[in-house]
Amino acid sequence: METVTIGKALNLGLRRALEDDPKVILMGEDIGRLGGVFRITDGLQKDFGDDRVIDTPLAESGIVGTAVGLCLRGYRPVLEIQFDGFVYPAYDQIVSQVAKMHYRSRGLPIVIRIPFGGGIGAVEHHSESPEAYFSHTAGLKVVVCANPNDAYWMIQQAIASDDPIIFFEPKRRYWEKGPVDTDAEPYPLHAARVARPGTDATVVAYGPMVRTALDAATAAAEEGRELEVIDLRSISPLDMAPVYESVRKTGRLVVVHEAPSNVGVGAEIAARVTEQCFYSLEAPVLRVCGFNVPYPAARVEEDFLPDLDRVLDAVDRSFGW
Amino acid sequence: MRPQDMAFPTYREHGVLYCRGIDPIMPLGLFRGVDQGGWDPIEMKFAMYTIVIGAQTLHATGYAMGIAMDGKVGTEDGEAVIAYFGDGASSQGDVNEAFVWSSVFHAPVVFFCQNNQYAISEPLERQTRVPLYQRAHGFGFPGVRVDGNDVLASYAVTRAALDQARVGQGPTLIEAYTYRMGAHTTSDDPTRYRIASEVEAWQAKDPILRVRRFLEQQGLADQSFFGEVDEQARVEAVKLRERVLELPDPAPVTMFDHVFPNGSPEIDEEREQFTAYLSSFAGEVH
């Protein structure tokens, strides 16, 4: 057991994947000598060579499109999209080719890593949460890590999977530390997990908002309310069983994500919970999300992003119903 | 192409598909609407048809990068890739990115642009101000224009480019200059955008007629040979039409198959629900 940051855990996971399978290659902009703009691939090109850790031209569609061909050649490409807002030039290759290839003939074992979300004081296109676009597309699996142990294991599980996987990384949490158990049997990749047990209300979150939800639960406990926090981990497919079980126990559900609420993951969860837990609900499912505006200027992003107070406000509204 | 070479087609490369040994019923199943294609691109060395224009050029480039990474360039059993696309596709970002990538990675890929001068209704002038083969120069590899209606010249140029790729000379762009004789699809109406005299002029350059005249003049084939070929083509076409008409519609629940290599519990659940829904009509005529 060692204590490392999420960023370092990803680095260690990628390193182990490169060691375990000679067909694994990394591709992306600035991932070689620089080690990526967030240094997630730090030192990997030096140790594995520029044939396996490839600095690519500055062309996202090319990164994904050439990876399709490399898969047909037997490789397992792991792609880094430098920032969430830069994935759109590759959107066609991801949605029209990567997602559909197994339906046509044979699947592509591609992992597309995307540092996502806000809170880093960046200029526009560097703080977006595009997970709903990909979750809406059949043929793609979408996962999000929220802590160092999951970062270490989930990236390896995603690379070992034959499914095409969009792998979201909570970029503003890259520097948060936590324990990584490199020997333990990993939790299943597409399973949700109770991050903090509770009895009074359920808070569902993923990625950077898991920390926010846990902080809210700590604050609520001081006021005598026990929140159960569930880390979804997988957005597509959704693992709803732990959510249903929790809601049947608590009767109240708040879903938290940074992406705007309209037609988002929270709406899907609300619909499913309404279908499956209708008679258990004491209040409507509430969402705490980014607002339905373009990602705002950095000086007001903390007002845009869900925080501890807005989560607790939603919990209060649930109890006040 | 050698057996070990790989082709990345447009959705009209039926001739190449035939030569790669794929049953021509397979692409027709796609256009008939009974499946999504379904041949194994790795076994057949022929990628899936790509409907999004130009997207396959990047796939071809990646595959060619893989050949280089496997050390299969400049060897006895060296491999090469050919990517087909049209004049319209030359405007796509993906095609231009494929040119960049293949150039900087020195990938063993041949870009074969079948310039038939029309992208549905839009003439070549709407795609380019320079001859397409000249674009290659700006990306750092050779471009060549060939008379696309000259069978032997097209063969020679393609073979030379693939050989060069195979020995490590990097990519080549071939512009095969030709003309689209028919309509783009059955819903197209070429009389709205081109004149009859233009079509007539190209009719006289029919590549099949030209190769036939060449073989006759050289004494390489006689009337009985052409008679046999024509008859064989007629019989195969009749058989293929019959097979297309006999293609069964797939069972509705098969739409849930082959979404993921590892499957998905969400899709399994939908399949079960839909199966139960369908079975609720059991015994009814609908």
Side-chain angles (χ1 to χ4, degrees), chain B residues 75-228:
Chain B
T75 55
E76 196 66 15
D77 57 349
E79 299 178 40
V81 176
I82 189 162
Y84 295 95
F85 60 102
D87 43 301
S90 72
S91 299
Q92 286 280 5
D94 275 2
V95 173
N96 288 275
E97 288 189 22
F99 290 170
V100 170
W101 284 66
S102 64
S103 177
V104 302
F105 288 104
H106 207 59
V109 56
V110 173
F111 296 105
F112 190 99
C113 176
Q114 192 179 125
N115 175 5
N116 67 20
Q117 305 184 51
Y118 285 92
I120 307 190
S121 68
E122 296 195 358
L124 188 63
E125 292 75 24
R126 196 37 55 124
Q127 314 296 344
T128 185
R129 293 287 291 267
V130 298
L132 289 174
Y133 75 94
Q134 289 183 8
R135 286 194 181 166
H137 183 71
F139 289 96
F141 55 88
V144 57
R145 176 184 273 185
V146 62
D147 176 356
N149 284 15
D150 183 333
V151 172
L152 293 178
S154 296
Y155 173 78
V157 166
T158 307
R159 182 176 170 153
L162 282 166
D163 284 344
Q164 281 173 357
R166 219 179 273 113
V167 299
Q169 295 294 306
T172 302
L173 169 63
I174 297 170
E175 178 191 2
Y177 196 74
T178 184
Y179 191 80
R180 195 190 74 210
M181 299 307 295
H184 172 77
T185 61
T186 49
S187 66
D188 185 20
D189 178 8
T191 63
R192 293 170 79 110
Y193 54 83
R194 61 188 197 188
I195 52 173
S197 61
E198 184 180 287
V199 182
E200 281 161 22
W202 278 93
Q203 258 161 359
K205 299 171 189 168
D206 181 338
I208 297 172
L209 203 59
R210 277 170 69 184
V211 78
R212 181 172 180 147
R213 292 279 177 272
F214 174 80
L215 291 172
E216 286 169 349
Q217 281 166 10
Q218 297 290 313
L220 296 168
D222 56 16
Q223 281 310 310
S224 72
F225 170 79
F226 292 116
E228 274 173 39

Side-chain angles (χ1 to χ4, degrees), chain B residues 62-82:
Chain B
Y63 189 94
M65 289 165 63
I67 290 176
M69 287 154 64
D70 289 344
K72 295 287 188 184
V73 176
T75 55
E76 196 66 15
D77 57 349
E79 299 178 40
V81 176
I82 189 162

Side-chain angles (χ1 to χ4, degrees), chain A:
Chain A
M1 190 83 78
E2 51 184 319
T3 299
V4 298
T5 62
I6 289 180
K8 183 63 181 174
L10 287 164
N11 178 273
L12 292 171
L14 290 168
R15 174 177 290 277
R16 192 155 158 190
L18 284 161
E19 284 166 355
D20 286 351
D21 185 349
K23 289 296 184 185
V24 171
I25 55 171
L26 312 189
M27 294 167 67
E29 297 156 1
D30 307 299
I31 68 165
R33 288 168 117 177
L34 182 64
V37 295
F38 290 105
R39 308 294 185 269
I40 303 302
T41 54
D42 187 35
L44 298 180
Q45 188 183 64
K46 183 169 156 285
D47 293 345
F48 295 94
D50 57 9
D51 264 3
R52 296 192 64 200
V53 181
I54 303 167
D55 271 330
T56 68
L58 212 165
E60 288 79 11
S61 188
I63 294 173
V64 178
T66 55
V68 170
L70 281 158
C71 282
L72 292 173
R73 188 70 197 177
Y75 286 89
R76 303 182 79 87
V78 183
L79 316 177
E80 176 173 304
I81 301 294
Q82 198 161 73
F83 282 90
D84 35 58
F86 303 168
V87 72
Y88 307 117
Y91 194 65
D92 172 60
Q93 284 287 347
I94 296 171
V95 167
S96 302
Q97 307 300 330
V98 173
K100 310 277 193 291
M101 206 59 88
H102 191 63
Y103 213 46
R104 291 177 200 143
S105 174
R106 59 157 66 226
L108 305 172
I110 292 179
V111 174
I112 302 174
R113 296 178 39 238
I114 306 178
F116 86 121
I120 63 164
V123 72
E124 62 173 342
H125 314 302
H126 294 70
S127 304
E128 301 189 0
S129 297
E131 63 272 18
Y133 301 133
F134 300 104
S135 309
H136 189 68
T137 300
L140 299 174
K141 290 190 175 173
V142 181
V143 300
V144 193
C145 63
N147 60 60
N149 198 59
D150 275 353
Y152 177 77
W153 284 112
M154 287 172 74
I155 189 63
Q156 292 182 64
Q157 290 168 309
I159 294 168
S161 169
D162 288 336
D163 297 329
I165 294 180
I166 313 292
F167 191 94
F168 283 103
E169 301 170 2
K171 74 164 90 81
R172 77 155 134 161
R173 312 290 189 203
Y174 271 152
W175 299 273
E176 289 193 3
K177 287 186 174 176
V180 171
D181 188 343
T182 55
D183 298 319
E185 180 80 5
Y187 204 68
L189 180 61
H190 295 290
R193 184 160 55 184
V194 175
R196 175 186 169 119
T199 49
D200 299 332
T202 304
V203 180
V204 165
Y206 53 87
M209 287 292 104
V210 173
R211 167 54 47 209
T212 303
L214 288 170
D215 289 347
T218 303
E222 287 166 13
E223 295 169 6
R225 266 186 197 146
E226 291 300 328
L227 306 185
E228 181 148 291
V229 176
I230 295 177
D231 176 1
L232 279 180
R233 299 172 83 253
S234 181
I235 306 296
S236 181
L238 281 167
D239 177 22
M240 291 301 291
V243 180
Y244 299 152
E245 193 183 328
S246 181
V247 170
R248 287 183 186 123
K249 179 173 66 181
T250 66
R252 301 177 199 282
L253 175 60
V254 173
V255 187
V256 188
H257 55 64
E258 288 189 22
S261 58
N262 274 356
V263 203
V265 174
E268 178 62 29
I269 291 169
R272 294 200 200 184
V273 166
T274 305
E275 281 178 15
Q276 298 296 323
C277 307
F278 190 68
Y279 289 110
S280 303
L281 287 169
E282 301 287 345
V285 179
L286 297 178
R287 290 170 291 167
V288 183
C289 304
F291 299 113
N292 293 290
V293 299
Y295 197 88
R299 289 290 185 184
V300 293
E301 70 177 330
E302 293 302 337
D303 294 293
F304 168 91
L305 295 167
D307 61 8
L308 183 151
D309 288 331
R310 278 177 59 202
V311 173
L312 291 181
D313 172 67
V315 171
D316 283 346
R317 282 187 284 127
S318 179
F319 276 95
W321 198 265

